[in-house]
Each structure stands twice: as structure tokens, then as C-alpha cells.
Amino acid sequence: MKLIIHGGFFSESSTNPETKAAKQKALERIVKDSYEFLKSHSAVETVVYAVSLLEDDELFNAGTGSQIQSDGKIRMSAAIMNGDTQKMSGVINIEEVKNPVQVAQILMQYDDRVLGGSGATSFARVHGFPAFSTEIPQRRVEYEAKRKANGIGTVGCVALDSNNKIAAATSTGGKGFEIPGRISDSATVAGNYANAFCGVSLTGVGEDIVSNATAAKIVTRVSDGFSLQEAFSKTFSELKPYDGFAGAIAIDSHGNMWHQDSHPSMVFASFDGENFEVFD
């Protein structure tokens, strides 16, 4: 069993040692808690669990703590993908929901598995998700000052369970100040993808990630015989012509884990029951 999570990007020049230490501590708590959950649950259940914990932590830009768009509203996106069944479900630009990834989980049961905007929000209400403001004071200050803080944020998890099944989940609160209706990569196969061979979750600039079809490329290359490291190297090299901004985490069916970013620094942590790693 293996587990790796990410909490988006941040620039060392726009954060401080206290914030960095807080994120390291939060990621350690979440990855180890989620690994305990993985011991008795499937990969799909675990990635939802882990991403929900990340959504609940104000340090990260997903769920509570999401960025505010240019019209003053928060709209979030999230997706999960079951590598065993090859089913993906997601919500795009959902509003006032505490845990968008949990709405995506329920959508997995439906034929129409990706919903956007008011349709996604209405679906959440019908299925028992009450209205919940994910705005925190810091985000309002940033919005009013028309600036961003702590860089580019998304959260994600990839898990390999005891039955060797893989799943990936990704959630984002957006990049901040975007045009309402903008679609991020998080609820697309460019930002969140898994099959029987590999699972990948992305963070970074959604437009760059979509242009490169990053997650789908990595998974496809692993499926075609590339090692995980080779698949990352080839795919990230294809971001260079336009200086694409991306970070990714992954696990393959052999239990290999890998992470890489094109610009410093992606916030991540991994745990396999014995070995723990966190960004430095």
C-alpha cells in the first residue's frame, strides 16, 4: 500500500518559515492519517478521504480557503478517477460546498458523471450537502487588494490499496481573480487520471496542464512500458517550449512513487507505512 498527496505550489519568496512548517506538519498529519484509513478501505475511498482532509485545511487552496474569482465569488472544481473501472467523475465551478470531492464521489454512481456550475451545486443540495461558505478572511483581503498569496494551489492524492488498485483525486479552489466560468484542469483527464497501471494528480497553471494533457500522457506512457520516471521526464520536457507551470504526483502498479515540478516548489508528502517524505 502506498499513498502520496500534494497541496499545490508556493513560492519561497511569498511565504515564510512559519507557513512552510505549518504546511509540512499538516501534510504529515494528513498523509499518515489517510494511510491508516487505506489499511481498511479501497484506493477510491482513500483518495476521497485524503482530499477531504486537504479541503478542510485552510492552508490549502481547495474547499475551505479557496481563492475568490474576479466577481467576488468562490467556485471550486474536483474529480476522482478509479483506475480499476476507468470511471472518472467530477464537478466544475461548484459553489458553497464544503467538500467538492465528496460530491464527485456520489456522481460516480450516475451516467452523467461530470457536472458544472449551477447544475453541480443543485446536485449537491439534492444529495444532502448544505450551503457552506468556504471563504476565509485571508482570501477576502487578497481579493480586495487584487493580489495572490502562497502561489498556485490545488490539492490531490494518489493511492495504491492492498488489492493493488489505484485511484486519484484532485480538488482546487482556482487560481484567484479568474474570469467566472474559467475551467481548470482539476476535473479533466489532463489534471487527474488513473488506470490499472498508474495514477496521477496535477497542480499548477491549469491552462498549461491542459495544453500538455499532462496526467493522461504520463499514465499512457507508463501503460505503454515507460518507467514512471521516464514517463515524467518525457512529459515534463514537453512543457518546456511554453514554460509550462506544473507539478505532479504519481504511483504505479508496482508501488513506485514519483513527484516532479517544472518550477519550485510543489508541496507534497508520501507514506508507505514505514517511509515518510515531505517537501523541504
Side-chain angles (χ1 to χ4, degrees), residues 251-267:
I251 302 177
D252 68 18
S253 58
H254 302 293
N256 299 307
M257 293 189 283
W258 195 255
H259 58 84
Q260 187 169 333
D261 47 35
S262 61
H263 295 69
S265 301
M266 182 176 62
V267 172

Side-chain angles (χ1 to χ4, degrees), residues 162-181:
S162 58
N163 294 313
N164 216 45
K165 306 297 185 183
I166 299 170
T170 307
S171 181
T172 186
K175 64 181 182 180
F177 313 109
E178 60 266 63
I179 297 170

Side-chain angles (χ1 to χ4, degrees), residues 58 120 124 141 167 179 185 189 207 237 239 243 253 258 274:
E58 293 184 7
V141 170
I179 297 170
D185 66 289
V189 297
E207 287 75 9
S237 72
L239 289 163
D243 194 30
S253 58
W258 195 255
E274 294 182 3

Side-chain angles (χ1 to χ4, degrees), residues 204-270:
V205 175
E207 287 75 9
D208 293 351
I209 292 167
V210 169
S211 293
N212 190 43
T214 308
K217 277 185 177 180
I218 292 171
V219 172
T220 298
R221 283 169 170 153
V222 172
S223 303
D224 289 344
F226 280 57
S227 71
L228 196 54
Q229 186 173 354
E230 290 169 342
F232 265 72
S233 178
K234 174 66 173 174
T235 305
F236 270 74
S237 72
E238 293 163 349
L239 289 163
K240 291 181 179 178
Y242 55 94
D243 194 30
F245 197 123
I249 57 172
I251 302 177
D252 68 18
S253 58
H254 302 293
N256 299 307
M257 293 189 283
W258 195 255
H259 58 84
Q260 187 169 333
D261 47 35
S262 61
H263 295 69
S265 301
M266 182 176 62
V267 172
F268 75 92
S270 63

Side-chain angles (χ1 to χ4, degrees), residues 35-105:
Y35 185 83
E36 287 300 312
F37 186 88
L38 178 61
K39 289 180 178 179
S40 57
H41 294 82
S42 70
V44 172
E45 292 169 328
T46 302
V47 296
V48 173
Y49 179 80
V51 169
S52 294
L53 294 179
L54 289 160
E55 288 175 334
D56 291 343
D57 195 311
E58 293 184 7
L59 286 168
F60 306 108
N61 176 26
T64 301
S66 290
Q67 294 277 6
I68 301 172
Q69 297 190 350
S70 60
D71 62 350
K73 294 184 178 181
I74 293 173
R75 298 178 180 89
M76 302 162 288
S77 297
I80 60 173
M81 188 157 184
N82 185 331
D84 184 39
T85 64
Q86 285 282 272
K87 285 186 176 182
M88 181 175 179
S89 59
V91 291
I92 298 171
N93 288 330
I94 194 169
E95 297 182 44
E96 294 191 312
V97 169
K98 186 173 186 285
N99 295 108
V101 74
Q102 294 178 17
V103 184
Q105 182 181 30

